[in-house]
Every structure is written in structure tokens, then in C-alpha cells.
Amino acid sequence: MTYDLITMGRVSVDVYPDQVGVPLEDVESFGRYLGGSPTNVAVAAAKYGRNTAVITRTGDDPFGRFIHKALKEYGVDDRFVTSVPGLPTPLAFCEIFPPDDFPLYFYRYPKAPDLEIHAHELDLEAIRDARIMWATLTGLSQEPSREATLTALGEHRGQTVIDLDYRPMLWADPTEAAHWAGLALERASVAVGNQEECEVAVGERDPHAAARAILSRGVDLAIVKLGPKGVLAATADEVVEVPPVEVDVVNGLGAGDAFGGAVCHGLLAGWDLRRMIEFAGAAGAFVASQIACSAAMPTSDDVERLLEERR
């Protein structure tokens, strides 16, 4: 089977409060959702009819079984999702204080199973043949996931996306993250990150400077997310700045994953840069207007409707 998109890395069960604007200790009820950034990206692309799979690992527990069930319900192939005996499936809790404060608490102890992906267990044929491979900086934070991620990036023949998803709680030192980000960028054709993540990866926070620094590593397309200011995307020949799609923000945590899935959809469709970034920005805004992440991923009609309304 040839996949449109294979993503690799973090997975979790997101336990998000039903009450908005309430500290975690006072929340009375929660919703349970499929989570983990690359997993959400696969879900987002699947909502557009793309053939997707995710490479990750869970605990051998009920939450792990929930992840398999949810992936199948969302149309994401789970054949590359295996369990690690003795390690629990990660949980992620958040607090929701709109419009821009969403503290996130990872429970990935003693070690997250998704960091136990081994290079020798990868289906390299499926990875080579996929049209897009999506990997994350988080996957480079520990071995054996680091070797597996670099192996996958090196073996892939199509468009390769590196998500510069720097999470400080998963690294001992940002300089270590910068080192491995550099190696990943050498193997990538597309890089996506916000200003803070770009600063860690290439030492530049200014969006134009960050894009130039990323492109200088051999990347074909640099995408710098600017939060409420929109997105800057650049190739060697073109720079596009797209303003944000205004919505009433409820939970901004899933917006980046929706954006990523939409970017993959646009790359697969061969869209021009501006159309792709406008569509991806609207997809992110759609999810930001809701509590859930994976469960809120839009269809193409949802995104086009939102764009038309804002026009």
C-alpha cells in the first residue's frame, strides 16, 4: 500500500476540561480525546480523504486500546502502532484560558512508549513509498526514537516535513535540541515551526530571518507560524505572508496540528503557496474555536465555508 502521508512520533490520550476558564484543580468533568501532534496531523489529513498512517507506540493498557480504536474511527491506518509492555500510554492534561493561555501537562513517565520506536522495526518500504513523511523534533529527544526518526527521514523519497515542535520539558538543554534539529533539517524538504521553535532550531526569531536560515539548510519550504499575526511561508523564489482567520478562540492547542494536516493536503494537491497557507490557517482557526483537537479536525467543506465567511 502506498500512503499519501505517514507521520511519526508522539501519541497520547488528551484529557481536556469541559469547563473553560477554570483551573485544573477545580474542573468538574473532562473529555477524552486522541492526541499527540503527529497523530493529530494524520487525523487532520485523513479528514480530507488522504490515505494516512502513523508510526508510534503505546502502553499495553486500556488507553493504548483506545488509541487504536480512535485511529480506526478517524480513518488512520494503525498497523505501525505497537505496544511497549511495562510503559503506560501517555496522558496530556490542559487548562483552558482563552484567548491565549493553555497550560499543558504531559504525563510521560517513566518514559513515553513513543520514544521506544526502534529503527530496525520500521517498515522502510512503506516509508520510502509514502508521498509525504512527517516527523517531529520531539522524536529526536531520546534514543532509540532519535535513530529511528533520522533513519526514516533519510530513507524517505518524497516530500519530507520536519515539525520543529520544541517542548522544553522533553529536553535537558535547548542547545541539544538545536543540534538535532540541524541534522533533521538537512534531511527535510519542508520545515514548520512557530517563532520560539525557529529560534531554538536556527537561532532566529524574526520570521523573515528564521525562514532564510531554514532555507539555507537546504529546505525547500520554510513555514513560520506567527500565532495571532498569521503565517509567513517562504521558498527560494517566493515569500507569502497570510493574516490570521479571526475566530473566537476556545482552545488553541490543536490549531497547529490542523494547520499541519492541511499543509500536507495542499502539498499533495499541488496548490500554490498562498492558497495552501490560507487554507491551512483557516483549518487551524476552525479547531482553535473548539475544545477538542483530533475530534474537531475539519473537512474541506468546513474550511472553505470558514474562508468564505471571513471574505
Side-chain angles (χ1 to χ4, degrees):
M1 177 185 295
T2 299
Y3 294 96
D4 291 323
L5 169 67
I6 293 180
T7 68
M8 180 176 181
R10 198 167 72 247
V11 72
S12 65
V13 175
D14 289 347
V15 187
Y16 284 2
D18 294 325
Q19 290 77 47
V20 174
V22 177
L24 206 53
E25 62 268 26
D26 295 326
V27 172
E28 295 182 354
S29 60
F30 297 84
R32 180 194 60 181
Y33 309 99
L34 178 67
S37 182
T39 304
N40 287 339
V41 169
V43 170
K47 290 296 289 285
Y48 303 124
R50 298 300 180 178
N51 182 19
T52 71
V54 60
I55 302 170
T56 192
R57 305 195 75 181
T58 71
D60 185 12
D61 54 28
F63 284 128
R65 294 194 292 274
F66 165 75
I67 286 170
H68 281 277
K69 179 181 177 182
L71 286 170
K72 291 175 182 176
E73 289 175 350
Y74 291 131
V76 178
D77 196 330
D78 68 338
R79 72 179 62 193
F80 307 127
V81 182
T82 58
S83 63
V84 182
L87 291 180
T89 299
L91 303 179
F93 290 81
C94 77
E95 294 175 303
I96 302 177
F97 298 106
D100 58 5
D101 186 18
F102 309 103
L104 190 59
Y105 304 90
F106 288 122
Y107 287 76
R108 295 168 61 84
Y109 312 111
K111 183 180 184 181
D114 55 58
L115 292 173
E116 282 292 316
I117 301 172
H118 291 261
H120 70 269
E121 296 175 340
L122 297 175
D123 186 333
L124 295 181
E125 183 177 357
I127 290 170
R128 293 186 192 107
D129 291 344
R131 296 176 67 190
I132 296 178
M133 175 76 199
W134 177 288
T136 71
L137 188 60
T138 294
L140 299 172
S141 62
Q142 291 189 44
E143 294 288 7
S145 172
R146 178 181 298 151
E147 179 189 3
T149 300
L150 292 175
T151 297
L153 291 173
E155 290 286 336
H156 185 241
R157 297 168 179 162
Q159 291 180 302
T160 304
V161 185
I162 181 68
D163 180 3
L164 302 171
D165 68 330
Y166 175 69
R167 303 285 183 173
M169 68 285 290
L170 304 180
W171 293 87
D173 188 327
T175 59
E176 181 188 13
H179 168 74
W180 293 109
L183 292 180
L185 288 170
E186 293 174 1
R187 294 164 170 80
S189 54
V190 180
V192 182
N194 61 33
Q195 288 175 277
E196 293 79 10
E197 292 163 347
C198 290
E199 186 173 22
V200 169
V202 295
E204 298 286 357
R205 184 181 179 86
D206 174 80
H208 288 273
R212 288 194 296 269
I214 291 170
L215 293 174
S216 72
R217 305 294 183 92
V219 174
D220 297 326
L221 170 60
I223 301 175
V224 184
K225 297 181 289 187
L226 309 176
K229 295 182 180 180
V231 181
L232 181 144
T235 67
D237 303 316
E238 183 180 12
V239 176
V240 168
E241 296 182 68
V242 174
V245 175
E246 300 291 343
V247 295
D248 292 328
V249 175
V250 176
N251 182 4
L253 291 176
D257 303 337
F259 181 94
V263 164
C264 292
H265 178 55
L267 290 171
L268 291 164
W271 289 347
D272 66 72
L273 188 55
R274 180 170 292 278
R275 181 184 181 190
M276 180 173 69
I277 299 302
E278 286 179 346
F279 184 94
F286 183 93
V287 173
S289 68
Q290 303 176 63
I291 287 179
C293 295
S294 57
M297 293 300 173
T299 64
S300 292
D301 288 344
D302 293 328
V303 178
E304 296 293 354
R305 190 179 305 113
L306 180 58
L307 283 170
E308 186 60 32
E309 290 172 356
R310 294 305 180 267
R311 291 189 186 105

